[in-house]
Amino acid sequence: MIDLRSDTVTQPTTAMRQAMAQAVVGDDVYGEDKTVTKLEETAAQMLGKEAGLFVTSGTQGNQVAILTHTKRGEEVIVEADAHVFYYEVGAMAALGGLQTRPIAGERGMMPLTAMEEAIRPQNIHFPETGLICLENTHNRAGGTVLPLSYMQSVKELADRNHIPVHLDGARLFNAVVASGISAKEYAATVDSVQFCLSKGLAAPVGSVLVGTAEFIEKARKWRKMLGGGMRQAGVIAAPGLIALTQMVDRLADDHVRAKRLAQGLANIRGIVVDVDRVETNIVIADVRDSGLTPDEFLATLSECGVLAAGFGGTLVRFVTHVDITDDHIDETIAAAAFTTRMR
Ligand SMILES: *Cc1c(COP(=O)(O)O)cnc(C)c1O
């Protein structure tokens, strides 16, 4: 099967499996796992922050960050299609007692004026604005890259209002590779960053959260409360280190393949793709004009050996990753053309 459902389906590389077998480990809740510590320090250094925290997933990293930054009853400004709002099971409300203030963005960017207006003034009736969340690259916008200048403007606005900013950088390294802007430069515009090791970077498990030493100390306790205190976690941190140090540059190949896939799909009658929007490894196709529902489209596509994912409404998402080759792209375009003709 050619599996384009997500970049989370990647298999760990041979080097990762060897590193897992040989990892030096200890009880990380006691702070004694040298491999975990090395991953946390490496991540913090790469992002120019004081400290890092290895977490079980991107969702856990985001929610630990949100819990650490906020108090119950506060309001969190989020883009209306943000992962923290759309895909995290309502955790902000359920675990944090927080109210979300979604603002519709363009290519993942909330308009600055709308953000400014959404920040609550002092008034006995109002909740306090406790946090602003950004997402780069932005998944539901199609893997779009938030420009550094935009993030700087958000930080300026947030600082003026004494509000922290958290970056959901699940795919931050895709933004880094696509833009040539370093992770450090992006991270300098926010207070905390969560990024995934388990997506395009191909590690089997985990994310890292980075921020100030004080922030990470508090976050470590929230992680423990959420059941994320892991013991000999070096066996899963070891492939994470390889992900960070060896798997970043090759993301460029995924981006080239995604662009080619987008162009190929756009040439098929019945499929609409905004090729210009494809900046990284995500391709969103609208299959409405094919006369097929996304489920029908995906079912036939899978009979042709290609998996993609429904993305709400009439949209289908394809994500390229390390296990996808040039031939797979050709086969996927052919399968999509066949699928649309089957109606
Ligand atoms: C995948 C993803 C997450 C969550 O990661 P999990 O490891 O699946 O919990 C968070 N934010 C974005 C933008 C993502 O794409």
Side-chain angles (χ1 to χ4, degrees), residues 126-145:
F126 292 161
E128 297 202 4
T129 304
L131 181 66
I132 295 171
C133 289
L134 297 179
E135 184 174 316
N136 197 7
T137 64
H138 194 291
N139 176 23
R140 288 194 59 79
T144 50
V145 178

Side-chain angles (χ1 to χ4, degrees), residues 57-59 62 83 88 135 139 168 170-171 194 196 198-199:
S57 67
T59 300
N62 284 334
H83 195 284
E88 299 191 4
E135 184 174 316
N139 176 23
D168 176 358
R171 296 189 181 83
Q194 176 280 125
C196 291
S198 61
K199 292 195 166 159

Side-chain angles (χ1 to χ4, degrees), residues 84-319:
V84 290
F85 176 62
Y86 201 96
Y87 288 120
E88 299 191 4
V89 210
M92 253 195 256
L95 307 178
L98 296 159
Q99 171 165 295
T100 38
R101 185 77 180 269
I103 298 176
E106 181 53 38
R107 290 176 93 110
M109 289 178 278
M110 297 173 267
L112 294 169
T113 46
M115 290 175 82
E116 188 100 52
E117 281 165 22
I119 293 172
R120 302 287 195 153
Q122 283 303 325
N123 180 310
I124 195 167
H125 302 93
F126 292 161
E128 297 202 4
T129 304
L131 181 66
I132 295 171
C133 289
L134 297 179
E135 184 174 316
N136 197 7
T137 64
H138 194 291
N139 176 23
R140 288 194 59 79
T144 50
V145 178
L146 266 53
L148 183 65
S149 58
Y150 171 77
M151 292 183 58
Q152 286 165 337
S153 302
V154 172
K155 181 63 177 156
E156 192 269 320
L157 179 159
D159 279 351
R160 221 174 339 103
N161 292 281
H162 311 290
I163 299 167
V165 183
H166 170 67
L167 174 62
D168 176 358
R171 296 189 181 83
L172 180 64
F173 286 99
N174 292 87
V176 166
V177 166
S179 66
I181 291 165
S182 69
K184 233 181 221 166
E185 287 172 277
Y186 282 121
T189 68
V190 295
D191 297 280
S192 57
V193 185
Q194 176 280 125
F195 67 89
C196 291
L197 300 162
S198 61
K199 292 195 166 159
L201 300 182
V205 185
S207 276
V208 185
L209 175 63
V210 299
T212 64
E214 190 192 348
F215 172 84
I216 292 298
E217 196 184 311
K218 286 188 197 147
R220 197 173 286 280
K221 198 145 183 177
W222 279 113
R223 183 190 68 171
K224 188 78 177 77
M225 191 188 282
L226 298 184
M230 297 178 282
R231 304 297 178 174
Q232 285 71 33
V235 288
I236 52 173
L241 268 165
I242 292 178
L244 254 188
T245 54
Q246 296 176 28
M247 301 298 283
V248 172
D249 293 344
R250 64 148 307 284
L251 293 173
D253 299 341
D254 299 344
H255 299 176
V256 171
R257 291 189 180 112
K259 196 74 167 181
R260 197 160 68 77
L261 174 60
Q263 283 156 347
L265 294 174
N267 287 334
I268 298 170
R269 196 144 55 95
I271 300 183
V272 175
V273 180
D274 183 351
V275 177
D276 170 57
R277 213 172 243 258
V278 181
E279 299 180 56
T280 58
N281 67 332
I282 297 177
V283 179
I284 297 178
D286 192 330
V287 300
R288 179 180 321 185
D289 295 347
S290 69
L292 300 167
T293 66
D295 284 349
E296 290 165 344
F297 179 86
L298 292 169
T300 307
L301 198 68
S302 99
E303 282 166 27
C304 300
V306 178
L307 299 176
F311 211 48
T314 53
L315 303 178
V316 171
R317 187 186 76 163
F318 300 80
V319 187

